Amino acid sequence: MPRDYRPAKSIRVLLAEDQGMMRGALALLLGLEADIQVVAQVGTGDAIVGAALESRPDVALLDIELPGISGLDAAALLRDEVPDCRVLILTTFGRPGYLRRAMEAGAAGFLVKDGPVEELAEAIRRVLTGETVIDPALAAAALSAGPNPLTARECDVLKASVDGATVADIASKLHLSESTVRNYLSSAIGKTATRNRMEAMREARQQGWL
């Protein structure tokens, strides 16, 4: 069979990865698979839905940490805007909290980037048939880690704490009172067993809760 042979209908894939070299390498390697065609490539989370609406992929392969909205947030948008598109999360960060959030966003699979491209190609085929594909080690870690203890508002307040934001800054950004912000921060610090809000934010990110 010649290398450039393709079946009558290839699996159409959208690829979202912020690192240009990684994105190009993945597109090239996946393109060598006879039944896979990369129809769109984007480098930011904000571009995912628009590209999917235009290219109509069968599977969207999304990194998590992207400029703009995250791959997890984009997965939730794709579920509503392009419901026929299956989402496969591919990330360097195999954090249990990320896996739970990916499943809640409607993702059909979650893999870390250190696997061979042949496994990735097979995962793309499997999610298209309706299977859920999850890295086994990450699945075990997620089960042992338990659910995210932070509420949605506590997560919002921690996210707004970046770059040295003051309580007043956070309150203004989230349209909350300063006393309410302090209460949320105190609760988040307690739940993460840390000493201050910066440590709480780092711990929450490490667990994949943010």
Side-chain angles (χ1 to χ4, degrees), residues 18-102:
D18 64 325
Q19 297 183 23
M21 186 176 294
M22 173 69 77
R23 185 170 66 248
L26 276 174
L28 178 63
L29 291 171
L30 288 173
L32 295 175
E33 298 291 322
D35 59 340
I36 293 176
Q37 180 183 8
V38 178
V39 295
Q41 300 180 47
V42 299
T44 67
D46 296 335
I48 290 172
V49 172
L53 287 170
E54 181 176 347
S55 62
R56 292 293 171 177
D58 300 306
V59 177
L61 187 60
L62 310 182
D63 191 10
I64 290 180
E65 301 205 350
L66 295 166
I69 66 173
S70 73
L72 297 175
D73 291 332
L77 292 174
L78 285 175
R79 177 183 56 195
D80 298 330
E81 300 288 337
V82 194
D84 292 337
C85 178
R86 302 280 283 171
V87 172
L88 181 60
I89 299 293
L90 182 67
T91 183
T92 304
F93 306 100
R95 297 169 180 166
Y98 279 166
L99 173 57
R100 288 181 179 274
R101 290 169 60 196

Side-chain angles (χ1 to χ4, degrees), residues 7-27:
K9 187 180 186 309
S10 296
I11 301 171
R12 298 170 61 82
V13 173
L14 178 150
L15 179 59
E17 162 64 53
D18 64 325
Q19 297 183 23
M21 186 176 294
M22 173 69 77
R23 185 170 66 248
L26 276 174

Side-chain angles (χ1 to χ4, degrees), residues 98-162:
Y98 279 166
L99 173 57
R100 288 181 179 274
R101 290 169 60 196
M103 296 301 102
E104 290 170 359
F110 195 110
L111 298 174
V112 291
K113 291 180 180 178
D114 59 359
V117 72
E118 292 82 7
E119 289 186 7
L120 176 58
E122 185 58 27
I124 290 172
R125 298 181 186 105
R126 289 172 61 191
V127 298
L128 193 58
T129 66
E131 290 187 53
T132 299
V133 182
I134 300 174
D135 179 87
L138 185 57
L143 287 173
S144 62
N148 177 4
L150 301 174
T151 66
R153 246 341 185 183
E154 288 165 355
C155 288
D156 290 340
V157 168
L158 286 180
K159 289 177 185 176
S161 297
V162 297

